[in-house]
Amino acid sequence: MDYSYIFSSAKPIKEKFAAFGFKKRGGSCVCKKTLSGGDFYALLELGKETLTAQVYDAATDEIYAPFDMRGARGSFVAAVREEVQKIVDDFYERCFESEDIHKKYFDFIERQFNCKADFPWAQEEGAAKRYSDAAVFRCPNKKWFALVMEITYKNLGLSNDKKVFAVNLKADPERVAELADKKTIFPAYHMNKKHWITVLLTSATDFDLLRSLTEQSRALVMGKGSAS
């Protein structure tokens, strides 16, 4: 199963990988973790920016195939997947560095362009007003140049349902393919992929590049762009 999304969400501290249990094997690193009960073990394999896991029978060293089969259901396979996810989460907590880029990004836009976010999809619930996670920043012409939203990695083609904050920005059509590295920058989610990109608001994202892309988005929308 693929867990490479963690490299899109934070910066790895590679010096800590060995302490977690990873050992070099060929061109990659592997880590063996015995699962509850001792009948199965998980083998995690690290590439340059990839992480995969497979589960094996401890007695025979044969692959436990249902773990990686999308259609496999049942309480046992669910429990195995949950335990492996906890191992991956522990690896992330111990060996990756993260910070609140979402707040940092809002602060940057408000300071740089002197504009506040608005929430066009706000919903009324009785007397209380609840804002959705989606916020937009607008140019003086009222068109938006940045749409901040909470989506899942799977929405961007990665194999995980975890949620992440991201921003849609307008980009030069001739640079979209070049910019979309499929790690922290992707073809736009829910917008025209020829003119917009989606950038993750995570520690793995180059914040200087994010600022530059935001400035370019605003200039394009102010000049001849359309927020549709």
Side-chain angles (χ1 to χ4, degrees), residues 122-137:
Q123 298 178 19
E124 295 288 342
E125 292 186 347
K129 192 172 185 179
R130 179 177 67 82
Y131 291 118
S132 72
D133 290 316
V136 299
F137 289 92

Side-chain angles (χ1 to χ4, degrees), residues 39-41 54-67:
D39 294 331
F40 294 87
Y41 65 87
Q54 191 52 268
V55 173
Y56 294 82
D57 186 307
T60 64
D61 288 328
E62 293 181 351
I63 289 177
Y64 175 61
F67 169 74

Side-chain angles (χ1 to χ4, degrees), residues 25-107:
R25 188 182 73 177
S28 60
C29 293
V30 297
C31 176
K32 181 178 178 180
K33 296 288 184 180
T34 301
L35 303 184
S36 299
D39 294 331
F40 294 87
Y41 65 87
L43 193 68
L44 280 64
E45 184 169 359
L46 273 173
K48 184 177 180 181
E49 290 186 345
T50 61
L51 174 65
T52 58
Q54 191 52 268
V55 173
Y56 294 82
D57 186 307
T60 64
D61 288 328
E62 293 181 351
I63 289 177
Y64 175 61
F67 169 74
D68 205 19
M69 293 171 59
R70 288 188 177 183
R73 296 289 184 270
S75 58
F76 182 74
V77 68
V80 170
R81 288 170 178 163
E82 182 178 359
E83 188 168 357
V84 174
Q85 184 65 59
K86 287 181 179 179
I87 293 171
V88 172
D89 291 344
D90 184 41
F91 174 52
Y92 175 84
E93 291 294 327
R94 291 168 56 182
C95 301
F96 283 74
E97 180 181 35
S98 62
E99 61 177 312
D100 189 358
I101 299 298
H102 180 247
K103 181 180 183 303
K104 181 178 179 180
Y105 185 62
F106 270 58
D107 291 344

Side-chain angles (χ1 to χ4, degrees), residues 154-173:
K154 188 168 286 187
N155 290 143
L156 299 173
L158 301 178
S159 56
N160 197 271
D161 286 322
K162 283 185 175 292
K163 291 183 177 181
V164 62
F165 278 105
V167 58
N168 276 359
L169 299 170
K170 193 159 193 179
D172 183 341

